Amino acid sequence: MYTLLSGLYKYMFRRDEYCILILGLDNAGKTTFLEQTKTRFNRNYKGMSLSKITTTVGLNIGTIDVGKARLMFWDLGGQDELQSLWDKYYAESHGVIYVIDSTDEERLSESKRAFEKVVTSEALEGVPILVLANKQDVETCLSIPDIKTAFSDCINKIGKRDCLTQACSALTGQVCMEVFSYLPELSISVLRKG
Ligand code: G3D
């Protein structure tokens, strides 16, 4: 009887766990996005001040629960020398959030090259990608069409996977609402099953 009840309890409160990689060049706003996400989804989370976040060196991890899903975010360092470590995490991942700094036109082609490597990686074949055009709160930032044009060579390489580009300001959170409302959908319907 105990086994039956404990099995039922576990079934009812079981959470499917998904790993989501947050990738992008250094300074794109990956850690700020992760902190903003944790603050919004974890009621008791007292995060660090977003304006005090410095660029990721190594790895930041964050977990949020959305419905019956637990999303584990791995925010990986984006410096050139750290990008070579990204593929070590690909096999474990169910989704990718790729963050672009919309204010950094100079590094847009560098970001495109890094993105290209991500989408052409065999280990990530079919894995859904959410592209965030971040820092949209800055008046002089590149628009979504500008960024799509700059990344247009990559379209054929994306393949049949789900890929969505969203405007975002991780710092203010104000233009992130669609992104946050997309997260449950990302976790439940489009993620590759483990
Ligand atoms: P990273 O983890 O991708 O390396 P961070 O990037 O999250 O450390 O952010 C790098 C810098 O960009 C930080 O500023 C951070 O405040 C800023 N930033 C992140 N997201 C946004 C955004 O949406 N809008 C604006 N305006 N700035 C953002 P500092 O000054 O600490 O380097």
Side-chain angles (χ1 to χ4, degrees):
M1 187 65 175
Y2 170 77
T3 318
L4 185 69
L5 287 177
S6 100
L8 185 65
Y9 179 87
K10 276 189 193 146
Y11 174 76
M12 285 174 66
F13 295 99
R14 172 176 66 98
R15 284 187 191 279
D16 291 328
E17 296 197 343
Y18 300 97
C19 296
I20 299 180
L21 298 182
I22 306 179
L23 305 175
L25 298 187
D26 50 297
N27 210 46
K30 299 180 295 298
T31 310
T32 308
F33 174 75
L34 178 60
E35 281 303 306
Q36 182 75 256
T37 304
K38 286 197 287 190
T39 308
R40 291 197 174 217
F41 279 84
N42 298 336
R43 227 179 285 155
N44 299 322
Y45 180 70
K46 293 210 170 35
M48 56 180 107
S49 160
L50 293 181
S51 59
K52 295 212 168 95
I53 291 172
T54 54
T55 200
T56 314
V57 179
L59 168 72
N60 291 310
I61 295 178
T63 304
I64 64 168
D65 290 335
V66 185
K68 283 194 88 180
R70 172 158 293 171
L71 305 184
M72 282 175 300
F73 294 98
W74 294 346
D75 158 27
L76 305 182
Q79 290 87 342
D80 222 10
E81 61 280 13
L82 296 177
Q83 284 177 33
S84 57
L85 300 176
W86 289 358
D87 59 2
K88 310 275 181 292
Y89 297 86
Y90 288 171
E92 308 289 325
S93 76
H94 299 92
V96 171
I97 296 179
Y98 189 85
V99 185
I100 298 170
D101 182 346
S102 316
T103 66
D104 195 350
E105 196 168 358
E106 264 179 35
R107 295 185 75 197
L108 204 57
S109 54
E110 185 187 342
S111 180
K112 191 199 83 175
R113 283 196 299 278
F115 180 74
E116 227 161 11
K117 277 193 199 154
V118 171
V119 290
T120 53
S121 158
E122 262 182 44
L124 284 179
E125 205 181 326
V127 171
I129 300 187
L130 176 60
V131 178
L132 297 184
N134 192 31
K135 307 196 186 181
Q136 290 286 319
D137 56 290
V138 178
E139 236 172 71
T140 52
C141 72
L142 294 163
S143 66
I144 300 286
D146 290 338
I147 290 172
K148 282 190 172 171
T149 306
F151 276 61
S152 58
D153 304 0
C154 300
I155 288 175
N156 292 338
K157 295 168 185 161
I158 288 169
K160 284 191 183 153
R161 78 184 79 217
D162 286 288
C163 183
L164 181 76
T165 305
Q166 282 282 356
C168 172
S169 167
L171 191 64
T172 65
Q174 281 170 1
V175 247
C176 283
M177 286 323 290
E178 298 95 90
V179 173
F180 293 115
S181 63
Y182 180 69
L183 277 175
E185 197 188 316
L186 184 79
S187 71
I188 291 157
S189 62
V190 295
L191 287 174
R192 159 174 94 166
K193 290 283 170 197

